[in-house]
């Protein structure tokens, strides 16, 4: 036997006796060799497969195999790979395949060699290890009680979201919720009830979450929500409110009905955080501030959020508490006969006695109430209180008057509204003829047919219907004919300028004449001067309403007016205390044109706040204080500390102070600010103001000062 034959025999013996399956294919993928290990692994004997197509490739692996086969025949070196291989009984094995070329006697590639290893058990072990790893990660990153992410995963996720927000220059919000009185519930009902309550809170928060928002439990009774996909600042209020709304309904735990509220702190990027640490810290600071105010509060941390945005945010989030704790009060403004000034009616008006912002008008909070769904509760409370009070006045012997109540279109369109009004009249004993519902004119622009149907139902009960703010919406004769109201109220914007403004005077005259022809009563609201009242009397306007006769007052004060029976304008004017803006210890520089400045709140009710600056207009300034204009309503209270900035003669002037008086005209607020500064600071300021006054005398307008160059209304718009 030659040496070559000996090598060949040894090589064939090595293939045949190899413990690993070795399979050789020709260029057509037909089997030309199949060793014993291949028989044992795959179940086919050599005589069953020799000269036949390769049988062990499942259909889903064919494309991958054919690619490897072609690469080997082309002389390309390829790495081993894993794949499924089929046994004779149809079962599949996890295998590791090492492909090699097969050479003929001339040294050319004649086929394909596959050395195969069964790794099924290894794969099972890997799968089990992966399962164990997932289980360990779930334990490491999941809250043991609720199953939602824990603080560790929350911080990792916050870091990812913060990085993404920085890259995309997008908004990001973090909301930390703390359950009010949870410890008391846990102590009184037991930890089992407490645990179930926490689970239910987690479920509700998870169900309420928006797309891509992240909910986690970060400590005992604290939950965190990372809010993404925010388009603008206005959306944040709505999104946060959706999470807060889950606490509107009680939690039923083992037969206990548990009413739960939450206190929350919110931080925003890019306004209040640059890192995960500061993000969490500032949200916690906002939460602590909210807790100081009391239960069921929300505070926002945002060092650059201006005063207006901050006020709007706090009002929206305080509204639920206001409803629950009866901060919404009802005041009454008399309506008088234009001929005798006898009181013949009253408008019931809602006011919000906010603990921080003072008395809030409906213009500021009704839209928020409609947006958050509290309008039904507030509207029902006002209606009930007004009817109850009117009945009480009648029982006390006063001549009956009609009380008017403003109704939101959202209220009116509620399916049970008419039934509710009927129930209120029945429960209070007030006859329907002494109730009038005022609906704004703009409400009729949508849902006209449904509105008219509701009006007909209310009219059939004997209730009066008034169109409020007439002239500001889509006024037309056709609407008056369709609705057939009992009363039309001319909007105050038309009354303010009569009789001096010819256009407004003609509009008011036309409305009164039209109403007479249609046999509709006319009420002029916003009457503030003797000239306005006299002119409206000459036009035979039926009723007058406004500050000339009385501002809106509480029920007990209104009762005193009813005793007199007549509203004396002279008495009302005497009661109006003029602001003390002229009682000054120091001189003031009166400015021909307002100076542009900035204002922010630094402290309210003894608690520091970090807010951005809001534009204002300074009308006069002295060493002791200044007078300024703003489009934001602020209460004149000693524990509200403001910071004012402006530039005078190229120097930045910054002072702190308190508001000592305020008044309003055309939706612009005028304030008197008394400085809180040291004597040294006052000396420096006096020196600057003396130079300022001297230069003003000489040149009038200075380029080193930022004087207003447009109208006041345009500036604030």
């Amino acid at each position: 036997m030659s040496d070559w034959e000996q090598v060949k025999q040894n090589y064939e013996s090595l293939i045949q006796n190899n413990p690993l399956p070795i399979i050789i294919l020709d260029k057509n993928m037909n089997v030309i060799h199949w060793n014993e290990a291949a028989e044992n692994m795959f179940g086919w004997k050599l005589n069953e497969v020799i000269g036949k197509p390769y049988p062990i490739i499942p259909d889903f692996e064919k494309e991958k195999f054919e690619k490897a086969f072609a690469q080997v025949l082309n002389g390309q070196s390829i790495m081993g790979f894993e794949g499924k291989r089929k046994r004779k009984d149809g079962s599949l094995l996890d295998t590791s395949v090492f492909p090699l070329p097969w050479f003929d006697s001339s040294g050319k590639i004649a086929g394909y060699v596959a050395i195969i290893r069964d790794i099924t058990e290894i794969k099972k072990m890997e799968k089990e290890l992966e399962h164990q790893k997932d289980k360990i990660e779930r334990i490491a990153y999941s809250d043991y009680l609720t199953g939602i992410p824990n603080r560790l995963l929350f911080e990792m996720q916050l870091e990812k979201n913060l990085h993404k927000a920085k890259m995309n220059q997008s908004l990001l919000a973090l909301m930390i919720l703390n359950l009010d009185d949870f410890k008391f519930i846990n102590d009184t009902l037991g930890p089992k009830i407490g645990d179930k309550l926490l689970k239910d809170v987690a479920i509700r928060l998870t169900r309420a979450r928006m797309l891509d928002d992240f909910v986690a439990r970060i400590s005992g009774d604290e939950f965190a929500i990372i809010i993404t996909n925010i388009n603008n600042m206005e959306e944040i209020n709505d999104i946060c409110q959706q999470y807060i709304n889950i606490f509107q309904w009680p939690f039923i735990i083992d037969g206990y009905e548990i009413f739960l509220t939450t206190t929350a702190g919110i931080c925003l990027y890019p306004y209040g955080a640059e890192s995960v640490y500061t993000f969490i810290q500032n949200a916690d600071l906002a939460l602590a501030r909210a807790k100081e105010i009391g239960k069921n509060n929300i505070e926002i941390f945002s060092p650059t959020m201006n005063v207006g945005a901050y006020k709007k945010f706090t009002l929206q989030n305080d509204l639920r508490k206001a409803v629950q704790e009866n901060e919404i009060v009802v005041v009454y403004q008399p309506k008088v006969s234009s001929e005798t000034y006898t009181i013949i009616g009253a408008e019931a008006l809602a006011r919000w006695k906010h603990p921080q912002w003072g008395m809030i008008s409906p213009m500021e909070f009704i839209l928020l109430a409609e947006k958050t769904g509290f309008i039904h509760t507030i509207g029902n409370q006002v209606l009930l209180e007004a009817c109850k009070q009117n009945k009480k006045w009648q029982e006390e012997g006063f001549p009956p008057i009609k009380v008017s109540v403003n109704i939101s279109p959202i209220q009116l369109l509620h399916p049970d509204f008419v039934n509710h009004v009927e129930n209120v009249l029945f429960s209070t004993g007030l006859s329907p003829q002494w109730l009038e519902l005022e609906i704004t004119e703009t409400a009729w622009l949508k849902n006209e047919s449904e509105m008219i149907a509701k009006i007909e139902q209310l009219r059939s009960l004997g209730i009066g219907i008034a169109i409020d703010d007439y002239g500001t919406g889509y006024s037309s004769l056709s609407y008056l004919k369709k609705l057939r109201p009992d009363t039309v109220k001319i909007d105050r914007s038309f009354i303010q300028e009569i009789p001096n403004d010819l256009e407004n005077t003609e509009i008011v005259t036309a409305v009164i004449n039209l109403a007479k022809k249609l046999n509709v009563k006319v009420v002029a609201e916003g009457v503030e001067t003797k000239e306005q009242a006299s002119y409206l009397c000459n036009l035979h306007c039926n009723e007058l309403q406004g500050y000339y006769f009385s501002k809106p007052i509480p029920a007990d004060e209104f009762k005193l007016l009813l005793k007199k029976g007549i509203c004396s304008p002279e008495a009302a004017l005497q009661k109006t205390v003029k602001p003390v803006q002229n009682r000054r210890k120091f001189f003031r520089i009166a400015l021909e044109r307002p100076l542009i400045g900035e204002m922010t709140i630094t402290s309210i009710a003894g608690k520091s706040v970090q807010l951005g600056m809001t534009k204002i207009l300074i009308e006069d300034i002295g060493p002791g204080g200044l007078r300024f204009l703003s489009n934001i309503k602020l209460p004149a209270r000693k524990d509200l500390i403001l910071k004012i900035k402006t530039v005078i003669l190229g120097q930045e002037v910054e002072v702190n102070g308190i508001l000592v008086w305020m008044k309003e005209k055309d939706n612009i607020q005028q304030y008197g600010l008394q400085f809180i500064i040291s004597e040294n600071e006052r000396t420096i300021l006096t020196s600057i103001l003396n130079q300022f006054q001297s230069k003003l005398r000489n040149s009038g307008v200075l380029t080193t000062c930022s004087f207003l160059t447009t109208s006041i209304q345009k500036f604030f718009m």
Side-chain angles (χ1 to χ4, degrees):
M1 182 183 295
S2 66
D3 290 343
W4 169 248
E5 288 175 338
Q6 183 65 46
V7 171
K8 184 179 178 183
Q9 184 178 347
N10 290 340
Y11 188 54
E12 289 174 351
S13 176
L14 180 63
I15 292 174
Q16 185 62 29
N17 297 318
N18 197 298
L20 294 177
I22 299 177
I23 302 168
I24 304 175
L25 308 178
D26 63 18
K27 288 186 177 181
N28 296 318
M29 297 186 195
N30 293 324
V31 177
I32 58 174
H33 192 78
W34 183 275
N35 72 354
E36 188 177 339
E39 290 181 349
N40 294 334
M41 182 177 288
F42 296 106
W44 284 282
K45 297 295 182 181
L46 178 61
N47 60 353
E48 292 179 283
V49 296
I50 197 76
K52 295 179 181 178
Y54 199 27
I56 67 172
I57 306 297
D59 290 341
F60 60 86
E61 290 272 13
K62 279 185 178 179
E63 185 178 347
K64 180 180 175 183
F65 167 71
E66 288 172 357
K67 184 178 178 181
F69 185 87
Q71 288 175 321
V72 169
L73 290 189
N74 288 332
Q76 297 178 34
S77 177
I78 63 174
M79 300 291 292
F81 57 86
E82 295 179 359
K84 294 283 188 181
R85 292 297 179 260
K86 183 171 64 177
R87 300 180 77 249
K88 186 177 181 180
D89 61 7
S91 60
L92 297 176
L93 298 174
D94 286 299
T95 63
S96 179
V97 181
F98 300 92
L100 296 167
W102 174 256
F103 298 94
D104 61 16
S105 57
S106 63
K108 293 181 180 179
I109 296 175
Y112 171 98
V113 178
I115 302 172
I116 302 172
R117 184 182 175 198
D118 183 1
I119 59 170
T120 303
E121 290 303 318
I122 294 173
K123 284 293 180 184
K124 284 183 180 178
M125 290 176 63
E126 286 180 355
K127 193 172 182 180
E128 180 60 28
L129 287 172
E130 192 66 32
H131 175 71
Q132 291 298 326
K133 181 184 175 184
D134 290 343
K135 191 175 180 180
I136 291 167
E137 284 187 352
R138 280 198 301 273
I139 293 171
Y141 297 135
S142 297
D143 176 52
Y144 73 95
L145 178 65
T146 63
I148 66 174
N150 62 9
R151 189 180 186 97
L152 180 61
L153 186 57
F154 153 71
E155 291 184 0
M156 292 169 62
Q157 186 66 38
L158 183 59
E159 190 166 11
K160 288 180 185 177
N161 289 128
L162 185 56
H163 176 73
K164 186 177 179 181
K166 288 178 179 179
M167 293 287 290
N168 299 335
Q169 295 185 334
S170 56
L171 291 168
L172 181 67
L174 170 61
M175 185 179 190
I176 296 181
L177 303 172
N178 181 263
L179 307 182
D180 297 331
D181 293 331
F182 177 76
K183 186 178 184 301
F184 174 78
I185 295 169
N186 209 45
D187 291 345
T188 53
L189 300 181
K192 287 185 178 180
I193 299 292
D195 287 350
K196 289 181 179 180
L197 182 58
L198 290 171
K199 288 179 182 178
D200 278 9
V201 170
I203 290 169
R204 287 194 189 183
L205 286 173
T206 303
R207 287 176 178 171
R209 74 186 180 96
M210 311 295 285
L211 182 66
D212 294 334
D213 285 1
F214 186 88
V215 178
R217 180 181 174 225
I218 57 174
S219 68
D221 61 345
E222 278 192 359
F223 294 82
I225 303 164
I226 303 170
I227 302 170
T228 57
N229 294 325
I230 305 167
N231 295 317
N232 52 61
M233 287 289 291
E234 296 299 321
E235 285 187 353
I236 294 172
N237 290 337
D238 298 332
I239 295 169
C240 292
Q241 195 62 47
Q242 288 186 43
Y243 288 108
I244 298 301
N245 285 345
I246 72 161
F247 296 95
Q248 286 183 350
W249 303 278
F251 294 81
I252 309 300
I253 310 290
D254 291 354
Y256 291 100
E257 188 178 44
I258 302 172
F259 288 88
L260 193 63
T261 58
T262 184
T263 300
I266 298 166
C267 184
L268 309 170
Y269 174 83
Y271 305 109
E274 280 296 324
S275 68
V276 168
Y277 173 76
T278 56
F279 219 145
I280 297 172
Q281 182 188 50
N282 291 339
D284 278 334
L285 284 172
L287 176 62
R289 193 181 306 143
K291 286 181 178 179
E292 287 176 5
I293 297 171
K295 296 182 295 183
N296 199 23
N297 276 292
I298 297 178
E299 284 289 312
I300 187 169
F301 180 95
S302 180
T304 58
M305 175 176 280
N306 64 33
V307 176
Y310 176 73
K311 182 181 180 184
K312 183 178 179 182
F313 187 91
T314 54
L315 288 182
Q316 177 160 320
N317 289 297
D318 290 346
L319 192 55
R320 177 169 57 164
K321 183 182 177 184
V323 174
Q324 293 173 342
E325 299 190 4
N326 297 319
E327 290 177 5
I328 307 296
V329 297
V330 181
V331 292
Y332 301 87
Q333 187 172 36
K335 296 178 184 179
V336 303
S337 164
S338 62
E339 296 178 356
T340 63
Y341 289 174
T342 304
I343 298 172
I344 54 177
E347 182 176 2
L349 298 161
R351 294 290 187 270
W352 179 2
K353 289 181 68 175
H354 193 280
Q356 286 186 334
W357 300 106
M359 196 66 79
I360 309 297
S361 71
M363 287 184 66
E364 288 190 88
F365 73 84
I366 289 299
L367 284 178
L368 294 178
E370 290 178 341
K371 201 172 184 180
T372 55
F374 288 116
I375 187 63
H376 298 292
T377 305
I378 294 173
N380 292 343
Q381 287 178 353
V382 173
L383 178 65
L384 177 63
E385 180 61 29
C387 291
K388 189 188 296 183
Q389 184 61 63
N390 199 18
K391 180 63 176 177
K392 184 179 179 182
W393 286 328
Q394 291 179 10
E395 290 173 345
E396 290 174 346
F398 295 107
I401 62 171
K402 185 171 286 189
V403 67
S404 302
V405 179
N406 290 280
I407 299 299
S408 162
I410 295 175
Q411 281 179 271
L412 186 61
L413 291 172
H414 192 280
D416 293 328
F417 179 72
V418 176
N419 288 336
H420 177 74
V421 174
E422 197 170 6
N423 290 336
V424 167
L425 291 171
F426 177 78
S427 64
T428 59
L430 183 69
S431 174
Q433 65 179 310
W434 304 118
L435 173 64
E436 183 175 67
L437 301 181
E438 295 187 8
I439 301 138
T440 56
E441 183 187 2
T442 51
W444 309 105
L445 299 181
K446 295 180 181 179
N447 306 301
E448 180 185 326
S449 59
E450 191 174 350
M451 287 280 192
I452 292 173
K454 286 287 181 71
I455 291 301
E456 289 302 322
Q457 287 179 277
L458 292 166
R459 186 178 281 111
S460 68
L461 297 176
I463 296 168
I465 302 297
I467 297 180
D468 197 12
D469 301 336
Y470 189 77
T472 59
Y474 186 68
S475 308
S476 72
L477 181 61
S478 63
Y479 267 94
L480 290 179
K481 288 176 68 178
K482 285 179 185 177
L483 299 174
R484 296 184 295 110
D486 302 282
T487 305
V488 166
K489 296 189 73 176
I490 305 175
D491 186 67
R492 67 183 65 247
S493 61
F494 297 104
I495 304 299
Q496 284 177 349
E497 302 301 327
I498 64 168
N500 300 321
D501 185 283
L502 180 61
E503 188 175 310
N504 280 352
T505 303
E506 288 179 349
I507 291 172
V508 171
T509 304
V511 171
I512 292 173
N513 290 335
L514 174 63
K516 284 179 183 177
K517 291 177 182 178
L518 294 174
N519 198 28
V520 174
K521 184 173 63 179
V522 181
V523 178
E525 58 181 351
V527 180
E528 295 182 357
T529 67
K530 182 179 181 180
E531 291 74 23
Q532 292 167 356
S534 298
Y535 191 83
L536 290 164
C537 288
N538 291 334
L539 290 176
H540 302 290
C541 180
N542 302 99
E543 296 178 19
L544 308 178
Q545 178 184 350
Y547 274 49
Y548 181 61
F549 302 99
S550 173
K551 65 180 181 179
I553 54 178
D556 55 347
E557 292 183 33
F558 194 88
K559 181 179 175 179
L560 298 178
L561 291 181
L562 288 176
K563 284 182 179 179
K564 294 179 181 178
I566 294 177
C567 248
S568 169
E570 291 76 16
L573 291 172
Q574 287 172 5
K575 287 183 180 180
T576 304
V577 179
K578 292 185 177 181
V580 293
Q581 61 261 45
N582 293 317
R583 298 176 186 174
R584 297 167 182 160
K585 183 178 179 182
F586 302 94
F587 75 90
R588 291 279 181 94
I589 301 173
L591 303 172
E592 289 185 16
R593 282 195 289 172
L595 193 64
I596 297 172
E598 293 181 312
M599 171 269 291
T600 190
I601 297 173
T602 62
S603 175
I604 185 167
K607 301 175 183 66
S608 298
V609 292
Q610 297 186 42
L611 299 173
M613 307 299 288
T614 299
K615 295 289 184 183
I616 60 168
L617 294 175
I618 299 171
E619 294 184 305
D620 69 23
I621 184 170
L626 56 80
R627 185 175 78 230
F628 72 94
L629 302 175
S630 173
N631 59 348
I632 300 171
K633 288 185 179 180
L634 298 171
R637 48 187 289 180
K638 291 182 179 180
D639 58 358
L640 179 72
I641 311 298
L642 301 184
K643 179 190 289 183
I644 303 283
K645 287 183 181 181
T646 190
V647 175
I648 298 176
L649 302 180
Q651 299 182 64
E652 185 178 88
V653 175
E654 180 180 304
V655 289
N656 291 333
I658 59 171
L659 299 176
V660 292
W661 61 265
M662 63 168 290
K663 64 179 182 179
E664 177 181 354
K665 185 177 182 182
D666 299 333
N667 293 322
I668 301 298
Q669 316 300 316
Q670 188 181 54
Y671 297 101
L673 184 85
Q674 179 180 303
F675 294 155
I676 306 173
I677 54 178
S678 67
E679 287 307 311
N680 183 52
E681 290 172 320
R682 200 183 310 277
T683 301
I684 295 170
L685 177 61
T686 302
S687 175
I688 295 171
L689 294 178
N690 284 334
Q691 296 175 53
F692 183 39
Q693 191 171 41
S694 175
K695 290 184 179 294
L696 281 174
R697 288 197 191 106
N698 295 329
S699 58
V701 177
L702 305 172
T703 57
T704 53
C705 303
S706 52
F707 285 106
L708 180 68
T709 57
T710 183
S711 72
I712 292 173
Q713 292 293 339
K714 282 185 179 179
F715 176 81
F716 286 116
M717 284 174 65

